[in-house]
Amino acid sequence: MGKITGFKEFERQDEAYEPVKDRIKNYNEFTIPLSESEEEKQGSRCMDCGIPFCHSGCPLGNLIPDFNHMVHQGEWQKASWLLHSTNNFPEFTGRLCPAPCEKSCVLGIIEDPVAIEDIEKHIVERAFKEGWIKPQLPKTRTGKTIAIVGSGPAGLAAAQQLNRAGHTVTVFERDDAIGGLLRYGIPNFKMEKGIIDRRVAILEAEGITFKTNVNVGVNYDVKDLKAFDSVVLCGGATERRSLPTPGIDADGVVQAMDFLTQQTKVVFGQDIKDQVLATDKNVIVIGGGDTGSDCVGTSNRQGAKSVVNFEIMPKPPGHRSPTTPWPFWPLQLKTSSSHQEGVERNWLINTKEFIKDENGNLTALKTVNVEWKMVPGERPQLIEIAGTEKTWPCDLALLALGFTGPESTLADKLGIEKDARSNYKAEYGKYQTSVPHIFTAGDMRRGQSLIVWAISEGREAARQVDIFLMGKSNLPSKDMTGDLVAL
């Protein structure tokens, strides 16, 4: 695969970024693509490793060495076909996936790994530009109807696969636009929403029906789902984690997803009454993950006076930790483009109190430094360090603490069992709930996870629905190692 000596001849090159002073003036994407010739060099770094661990690192089982080789040869259309054979939406993953494939790249043992995610993005953007991505309509219809609840990556992937099997698919979305978390939860500067619209137009042309502002179980009676032969629940994990901290009811303590959603809606011309703004405020983001990073980037674009980030866990090492050796996902410090735009990052710190004035407005946070006591065979213990209490000026505290699981209301109304973590319970490998004709996929089934897992789950669930309805399926699948299985 690639050029035999390519990994020796060419160093890894990633997309560049526009200068910070320019990009924080707007909410547009700010990456600068590599040239086609440079991208082909990057494809040539794929080193014919013999056993491509990137396959197992990718939840979709993407044929990574194969499309890298096509890029190396300048066969971009073939690269696009290979990429789309396992991934319905590489334009999403090429922007938002943390690329576990790269962390398991064999070249990564001795050099920087192959720039798989950037190559993937370049392939799909070239394909759209050249008009290679066209609607694929089924040759015949089965007469079976399927309702998909939720239009995030899992729901969209399931919809496209089931439609291609010939079923008639309707997707219900409770928000006013298609995309799930991709639409309003991901800032526009990470993925412009026209990227979603471009793909949805393809899906509509293939025959999929989309209905927005339909909240199943709220303004759409669950009894009406009986009109469908099967139902796939892909509503995500949207129950937000909070803190049992005094003063959390202060005006100025805001869930991160509310903050991000409001700003994205404003970008697209919606009028948000009493929008939460970071402008001229001391902002503290609690939570060091991707959502926290998104809050940092958004706060800087809104003109925050200062931006501080708290994380209760220890600071990861700058390089792969020995506790997570290759090819595992590494414990390693991540510095995002938003972090580079300006933030004070703090680790091993716990919020003890949200301080408010007589009017209930947030004015400060009281914290204490902590350490984790590790005892073999027991859960880690959080220990406060005496004498490290500190008060931080704060006008806006953003809670970026992740999600505890899916909302339970729909499961209760449909009579679906839940597991110990409140996820919608489904038979392993079959995605089938305790109600036989109802299936579930994505974060609603597995809990908060990656976009690439959501697409994988949507694809796999679609095949199981097809088997349930027709007794067999020609839809592709993968085995537990991530490889495609024979049809």
Side-chain angles (χ1 to χ4, degrees), residues 360-403:
N361 297 311
L362 181 67
T363 60
L365 263 65
K366 187 180 293 183
T367 66
V368 63
N369 292 350
V370 297
E371 61 183 359
W372 290 91
K373 183 179 180 181
M374 313 299 287
V375 179
E378 298 182 10
R379 293 182 60 135
Q381 299 179 31
L382 185 66
I383 308 296
E384 295 185 358
I385 300 175
T388 62
E389 293 80 5
K390 182 177 178 179
T391 300
W392 306 70
C394 180
D395 309 297
L396 176 62
L398 299 171
L399 307 181
L401 305 169
F403 302 89

Side-chain angles (χ1 to χ4, degrees), residues 463-477:
R463 188 171 192 271
Q464 294 303 318
V465 173
D466 194 29
I467 293 172
F468 172 78
L469 293 174
M470 309 302 292
K472 62 179 182 178
S473 180
N474 288 324
L475 290 174
S477 181

Side-chain angles (χ1 to χ4, degrees), residues 60 83-84 86-95 120 124 128 152-161 182 199-200 203 451 455 459:
L60 282 164
L83 180 55
H84 280 91
T86 57
N87 186 351
N88 299 70
F89 314 120
E91 67 273 30
F92 300 163
T93 54
R95 288 170 166 83
E120 180 178 313
V124 68
F128 271 112
L156 293 179
Q160 185 167 53
Q161 294 300 99
L182 298 177
R199 181 61 75 169
V200 170
L203 301 180
I451 180 175
I455 297 172
R459 290 173 62 89

